[in-house]
Amino acid sequence: MENVLEVRELRKDFHTKKGLLRAVNDISFTVRKGETLGIVGESGCGKSTTGRAVLRLVEPTAGEVIFEGQDILQYNARSMREARKDMQIIFQDPFASLNPRLSISQIIAEPFDVYRMFPPREREEKVKELMRLVGLSQKLVNAFPHELDGGRRQRIGVARALALNPKFVVCDEPVSALDVSIQAQILNLIQDLQQRLHLTYVFISHDLSVVKHISNRVAVMYLGKIVEITESRRIFTNPLHPYTQALLSAIPIPKVGVQKRRRIILEGDVPSPVNPPSGCIFSGRCPFVMPKCLEAAPPMTEAEPGHSVSCFLVSDAEGARAAGDRTSD
Amino acid sequence: MSERLLEIQDLQVEYHTDDGIVTAVERLDLHLEKGQTLGLVGETGAGKTTTALSIMRLVPDPPGRIVAGAIRFHGEDLLRKRPEEIKRIRGNRISMIFQDPMTSLNPVLTVGFQIEEAVMLHQKLDRKAAGERARAMLELVGIPPERAGDYPHEFSGGMRQRVGIAMALSCNPELLIADEPTTALDVTIQAQVLELMKSLRERLATSMLLITHDLGVVAEVCDHVAIMYAGSIVEYADVHSLFTSPRHPYTRGLFGSIPSLDEEVERLKPITGLMPDPTALPSGCKFHPRCPQAQEVCRTRVPQAISVGDGHSAACLIYEGLVPGFQE
Ligand SMILES: Nc1ncnc2c1ncn2[C@@H]1O[C@H](COP(=O)(O)OP(=O)(O)OP(=O)(O)O)[C@@H](O)[C@H]1O
Ligand SMILES: Nc1ncnc2c1ncn2[C@@H]1O[C@H](COP(=O)(O)OP(=O)(O)OP(=O)(O)O)[C@@H](O)[C@H]1O
Ligand SMILES: [Mg+2]
Ligand SMILES: [Mg+2]
């Protein structure tokens, strides 16, 4: 299937008081037309920075971001402005991302101002249409964000992101601030809109259950790296990276009497991205660490079609299998 | 035979705000047996923290006020105790862990000193013995005792929460109230803290009221569970019954809203509508505007907690025979 987005060796460094912070460390992935790619990982692993770098809301330090065949990192400001119509973002905290002084209709119409689209009459119609689309009552056109609850505010965030009819949307923790009953409403809305408008999503969350539910494929991030990427079902049935396994085993399952995964308790905390460990970034906490893990970073290896893992346990096994295949012919 | 440690009856707590009177807790009944871990589950604003603060007699007044009810601890009503008596119980026989450990930690004092102070306040120990106890408590929660001289900001979020646990357990309380102790933590760190709480509970035989909005945490840690909606308990059961046969429409709605990790579910079945305005709660059953089962009678009649099984109760008119049940 056609790739809408191809990210190659994307890197983002921040210069901090403590030194160079590599928030995104040479990651590559593709997103196919009409699919949802989930990005999951714990606080500070670089999910938001990845999402923003892909839209150039933060300027990547290195790499390529190929959107519909063009490397947008080569675009000048004017071409980028045009490209942004097709590439939008929904943020986690609907409150912080909405201007408190603007009414709901002004917020949703803001992108039309920026791009000087539609005369006022048509604009009103457009806003109403968007409000219908995301399930907001027309009564709220003149309300202000602070008068609304989190679920409705997030609907406004969705409406604004969709105003310019984008093809691709980064959803950065769009439901993390919401209660489960409201979270479920917004997840269903995001899914319905994808069907109706043929959208392609990158969906970011620290909640693996949410990511697995909404995504076709999932990338697991740790300390600026993608450690595993595969179909969302496989991430649960066949997790191969020790970090993915630990992450899965740490999630409390809301069921009783079912066979639960043996819990792998990781020692210690996530190391700082300012002085990441040399070798494999997970080596300091990995229950299976080997001497070579401290020396070199493991390559991304395809363990089964569409399932890649960055771990020596996997690359060694694949290497042995390939060698076995050669000797057997 | 189980012994009743805590019994809350008909509790009502209000906050008087500029927008009106918020009824945070209304007609709440709840009990906890000795040695039990009870999960108190509900969404934002359900009144979970207010319930916990009522037990601790820490509801901020103003704007808050406990208007009615009784909270019996070993049969004695905490709401009738004098402030000095409460001070002797709080932090000693009942202690609390907060969602943000910084609420209970003083940023300018070392963690060791703070635990020492808590110990000396309640137990007849000199500073040296209290210091030893503080270091032992830190070790118990997996923090090297030599870090007793460090300040709270020198610890990571997960470690700070463990310091909070060490402090709460330092006087060996009979009842530990934990208010969303892991909500702010990453899942691998949450797993560390939950494992710690489980093992400490067994070793110290502490009874626990665990407040959470995460049914996964409940399944993992609790033996009983109370589901709270808009200030009241709508369902109470042992964990097994609640997860295998939830009876209240709200509880069933919660389960329909959670994405599953181990099953393929195309679409979630969310509860429709929004949380009610706490200054104008719906009449009758407070869940009726969002309830798929609701009938006319639900608008006017307040449901009572009805036994629906062994130790399992639900406050819904279905079980009073006034509303048709679920179609399976
Ligand atoms: N503008 C910035 N300046 C300096 N450091 C930054 C900046 N933005 C992010 N970082 C750092 O980059 C790393 C990755 O941050 P990022 O926000 O991408 O993580 P995240 O996975 O989205 O985390 P969370 O789950 O907490 O949202 C963190 O160590 C963070 O502190
Ligand atoms: N100090 C206060 N002043 C005014 N209203 C308050 C105060 N504290 C709580 N409330 C209100 O009381 C109700 C119950 O709040 P409470 O904090 O007990 O809920 P909760 O179940 O703990 O929610 P959360 O999951 O968000 O922690 C809410 O409507 C809340 O806005
Ligand atoms: Mg983020
Ligand atoms: Mg609370």
Side-chain angles (χ1 to χ4, degrees):
Chain A
M1 215 193 280
E2 190 189 333
N3 287 335
V4 169
L5 186 75
E6 265 182 81
V7 171
R8 296 188 190 142
E9 304 287 316
L10 183 71
R11 175 184 297 185
K12 177 62 191 176
D13 291 337
F14 290 108
H15 297 276
T16 68
K17 271 179 252 144
K18 289 182 179 166
L20 185 79
L21 185 153
R22 186 148 295 169
V24 176
N25 192 350
D26 301 347
I27 66 172
S28 303
F29 58 88
T30 57
V31 190
R32 298 173 200 140
K33 193 170 163 67
E35 83 163 341
T36 300
L37 174 75
I39 300 183
V40 72
E42 295 179 278
S43 186
C45 70
K47 305 181 294 296
S48 296
T49 306
T50 301
R52 283 160 208 229
V54 161
L55 302 182
R56 285 183 75 183
L57 296 176
V58 296
E59 199 55 37
T61 307
E64 292 170 36
V65 175
I66 296 160
F67 181 72
E68 297 193 311
Q70 302 287 320
D71 184 359
I72 62 163
L73 300 190
Q74 307 303 323
Y75 281 1
N76 61 20
R78 223 173 103 229
S79 324
M80 196 57 226
R81 205 178 118 93
E82 278 307 298
R84 282 244 170 77
K85 284 189 194 166
D86 288 334
M87 309 175 83
Q88 289 290 323
I89 185 162
I90 304 169
F91 293 103
Q92 163 168 0
D93 183 354
F95 205 41
S97 64
L98 303 178
N99 184 337
R101 273 182 286 276
L102 298 184
S103 71
I104 305 312
S105 61
Q106 287 170 318
I107 291 171
I108 298 176
E110 224 181 353
F112 301 146
D113 293 334
V114 175
Y115 285 92
R116 298 180 202 290
M117 284 161 82
F118 307 119
R121 280 295 290 280
E122 260 175 75
R123 218 177 258 192
E124 215 170 288
E125 245 336 284
K126 270 280 168 204
V127 168
K128 280 190 183 157
E129 194 183 309
L130 282 161
M131 288 179 72
R132 258 195 304 278
L133 188 68
V134 299
L136 280 170
S137 155
Q138 306 287 329
K139 280 185 287 192
L140 298 172
V141 260
N142 296 319
F144 288 86
H146 70 90
E147 298 171 51
L148 306 183
D149 58 279
R152 289 213 185 94
R153 289 201 290 253
Q154 196 51 287
R155 288 178 196 268
I156 298 168
V158 174
R160 186 178 55 178
L162 298 180
L164 300 173
N165 227 341
K167 296 174 180 157
F168 170 73
V169 181
V170 172
C171 309
D172 189 0
E173 309 251 17
V175 298
S176 303
L178 306 175
D179 268 324
V180 282
S181 69
I182 308 301
Q183 169 177 308
Q185 295 174 1
I186 300 293
L187 286 174
N188 281 353
L189 172 70
I190 288 174
Q191 271 177 322
D192 291 344
L193 292 172
Q194 178 165 46
Q195 293 290 321
R196 284 176 62 181
L197 308 174
H198 310 290
L199 296 168
T200 303
Y201 291 141
V202 163
F203 190 99
I204 295 171
S205 174
H206 64 277
D207 185 334
L208 189 48
S209 310
V210 167
V211 165
K212 187 216 158 213
H213 173 77
I214 202 152
S215 309
N216 303 89
R217 291 186 303 130
V218 172
V220 180
M221 279 188 86
Y222 185 83
L223 210 58
K225 284 270 190 203
I226 291 177
V227 296
E228 181 158 8
I229 182 165
T230 185
E231 274 173 42
S232 62
R233 208 172 319 120
R234 292 306 272 167
I235 217 74
F236 183 76
T237 55
N238 189 30
L240 292 175
H241 196 284
Y243 177 65
T244 312
Q245 293 168 356
L247 196 61
L248 271 172
S249 81
I251 299 170
I253 307 268
K255 284 186 185 161
V256 289
V258 295
Q259 181 68 31
K260 294 199 176 165
R261 235 166 245 282
R262 201 174 58 81
R263 176 152 292 174
I264 306 162
I265 293 287
L266 293 179
E267 300 290 324
D269 292 308
V270 179
S272 154
V274 175
N275 286 304
S278 56
C280 171
I281 38 129
F282 189 55
S283 56
R285 298 174 85 200
C286 182
F288 308 108
V289 64
M290 303 178 285
K292 71 166 153 189
C293 306
L294 306 177
E295 276 149 33
M300 235 358 185
T301 309
E302 188 163 68
E304 58 184 343
H307 187 168
S308 295
V309 188
S310 157
C311 174
F312 282 121
L313 290 173
V314 174
S315 60
D316 288 358
E318 286 306 308
R321 178 152 28 162
D325 284 351
R326 274 198 300 279
T327 46
S328 61
D329 331 305
Chain B
M1 248 325 272
S2 61
E3 186 190 328
R4 189 149 290 185
L5 184 67
L6 184 78
E7 171 143 31
I8 305 180
Q9 264 177 344
D10 206 25
L11 184 68
Q12 176 133 352
V13 187
E14 297 173 349
Y15 294 101
H16 291 247
T17 70
D18 295 345
D19 296 334
I21 298 177
V22 172
T23 309
V25 173
E26 191 180 38
R27 294 188 293 269
L28 178 126
D29 293 314
L30 195 65
H31 57 92
L32 180 87
E33 315 301 317
K34 193 157 193 259
Q36 187 184 331
T37 297
L38 173 65
L40 181 59
V41 178
E43 296 179 89
T44 303
K48 306 179 296 295
T49 299
T50 303
T51 303
L53 294 177
S54 305
I55 301 170
M56 298 287 283
R57 290 269 302 267
L58 287 174
V59 173
D61 176 5
R65 247 187 39 223
I66 299 178
V67 191
I71 301 179
R72 295 202 187 83
F73 181 63
H74 285 295
E76 290 181 37
D77 190 353
L78 296 175
L79 299 183
R80 294 179 180 281
K81 292 214 178 284
R82 279 174 288 124
E84 324 70 91
E85 291 176 292
I86 285 296
K87 265 194 198 136
R88 255 176 283 142
I89 294 176
R90 193 194 298 145
N92 188 22
R93 297 174 66 194
I94 307 179
S95 62
M96 184 154 169
I97 307 173
F98 297 87
Q99 170 169 348
D100 176 6
M102 286 313 258
T103 353
S104 49
L105 293 174
N106 186 330
V108 300
L109 300 175
T110 69
V111 302
F113 183 78
Q114 294 186 57
I115 301 175
E116 257 168 61
E117 288 286 296
V119 171
M120 283 166 59
L121 183 67
H122 293 296
Q123 311 205 326
K124 293 188 183 66
L125 292 179
D126 58 22
R127 178 155 304 275
K128 187 154 170 280
E132 261 154 42
R133 166 66 76 79
R135 280 187 294 281
M137 288 312 297
L138 287 175
E139 192 153 29
L140 191 66
V141 300
I143 291 175
E146 55 274 17
R147 296 206 56 183
D150 289 358
Y151 292 88
H153 71 263
E154 296 175 82
F155 294 91
S156 67
M159 287 175 106
R160 238 179 265 158
Q161 195 51 284
R162 281 186 274 159
V163 171
I165 294 172
M167 178 126 115
L169 292 177
S170 61
C171 294
N172 208 354
E174 293 163 71
L175 173 62
L176 177 65
I177 303 173
D179 190 1
E180 311 247 12
T182 59
T183 304
L185 305 176
D186 269 325
V187 357
T188 61
I189 308 300
Q190 162 171 292
Q192 291 173 359
V193 173
L194 290 180
E195 290 295 318
L196 171 72
M197 290 176 61
K198 280 196 278 184
S199 77
L200 289 179
R201 185 188 58 201
E202 267 146 48
R203 280 171 62 186
L204 308 176
T206 313
S207 313
M208 191 155 86
L209 179 65
L210 176 67
I211 295 175
T212 178
H213 61 264
D214 186 339
L215 284 165
V217 170
V218 170
E220 184 125 321
V221 183
C222 300
D223 35 51
H224 281 72
V225 52
I227 307 285
M228 190 163 185
Y229 185 80
S232 307
I233 304 299
V234 297
E235 185 160 6
Y236 179 94
D238 66 274
V239 160
H240 194 268
S241 309
L242 189 105
F243 282 77
T244 51
S245 57
R247 297 302 192 88
H248 197 281
Y250 175 64
T251 313
R252 296 166 71 110
L254 279 183
F255 279 110
S257 300
I258 324 173
S260 168
L261 198 54
D262 55 348
E263 281 169 53
E264 295 302 313
V265 180
E266 271 297 305
R267 245 182 107 73
L268 300 171
K269 295 190 214 69
I271 304 167
T272 54
L274 303 166
M275 274 294 192
D277 173 355
T279 60
L281 291 174
S283 59
C285 171
K286 285 177 276 188
F287 187 57
H288 84 258
R290 303 176 73 187
C291 181
Q293 309 298 124
Q295 302 284 328
E296 204 44 45
V297 60
C298 303
R299 292 170 178 273
T300 50
R301 189 164 163 132
V302 176
Q304 305 296 311
I306 301 290
S307 171
V308 292
D310 192 14
H312 188 164
S313 63
C316 171
L317 297 183
I318 290 176
Y319 307 105
E320 295 182 43
L322 295 171
V323 168
F326 303 100
Q327 318 257 294
E328 294 301 326

